[in-house]
Amino acid sequence: AGRLLEVAIGTMIELPRAALMAGELALQSDFFSFGTNDLTQTTMGLSRDDAEEAFLRTYVDRGLMSVNPFQQIDPVGVGSLMRQAIEAGRRANPGLEIGVCGEHGGDPVSIGYFHDWGVDYVSCSPPRLPIARLAAAQAALRSETS
């Protein structure tokens, strides 16, 4: 009784509106965690389950899309929202921690983007952890040598 607990309070950024309101959200947040699977769905207007079962593979095979956006982050659309949210969030709260959760957190190419955009940490499913750690280390080394 009478103990004070220090608990970090964060905000999931899973919708384009949340990314656009990041400056205001950061004023009440210790961290942002980007739910990139949901952010990809809502930004691209795609249901992941429906798209992956119905047409995404065909789009990639025919060159209409370069990659499946649920496997590798879309740096132009989703990435633009993420970068804008990170910049606005850190302007409002310079100590804001930035994370990514979801399968993109285990993709080496996506991890490289996240590092460049100022993401502090990623989380992913346990089987993807070794490659995620390696990709994060490689991204850090690349930025040190450039």
Side-chain angles (χ1 to χ4, degrees):
R3 287 191 284 161
L4 180 64
L5 297 176
E6 290 197 28
V7 177
I9 304 294
T11 302
M12 288 293 297
I13 307 290
E14 295 180 304
L15 298 172
R17 189 174 197 291
L20 295 171
M21 302 295 297
E24 290 180 44
L25 294 171
L27 295 173
Q28 304 298 320
S29 302
D30 297 313
F31 67 89
F32 284 169
S33 182
F34 285 90
T36 56
N37 295 334
D38 288 334
L39 188 58
T40 296
Q41 286 190 115
T42 56
T43 300
M44 299 186 88
L46 297 172
S47 162
R48 180 181 185 176
D49 293 334
D50 294 341
E52 286 188 320
E53 289 179 20
F55 59 85
L56 273 181
R57 173 166 283 185
T58 302
Y59 282 17
V60 172
D61 290 346
R62 293 187 180 176
L64 299 171
M65 297 179 89
S66 59
V67 296
N68 177 335
F70 296 107
Q71 294 174 357
Q72 188 176 103
I73 199 74
D74 161 37
V76 177
V78 178
S80 178
L81 283 171
M82 289 180 68
R83 288 188 305 275
Q84 180 178 336
I86 291 167
E87 290 169 11
R90 288 215 169 116
R91 265 194 313 275
N93 178 356
L96 187 70
E97 293 230 357
I98 306 291
V100 167
C101 66
E103 290 307 303
H104 293 109
D107 171 62
V109 173
S110 300
I111 289 170
Y113 288 128
F114 299 150
H115 177 81
D116 293 344
W117 300 341
V119 170
D120 297 306
Y121 62 90
V122 297
S123 64
C124 61
S125 58
R128 300 187 86 178
L129 190 56
I131 192 68
R133 292 181 79 165
L134 177 62
Q138 289 172 333
L141 288 172
R142 274 193 307 274
S143 69
E144 285 181 13
T145 60
S146 43

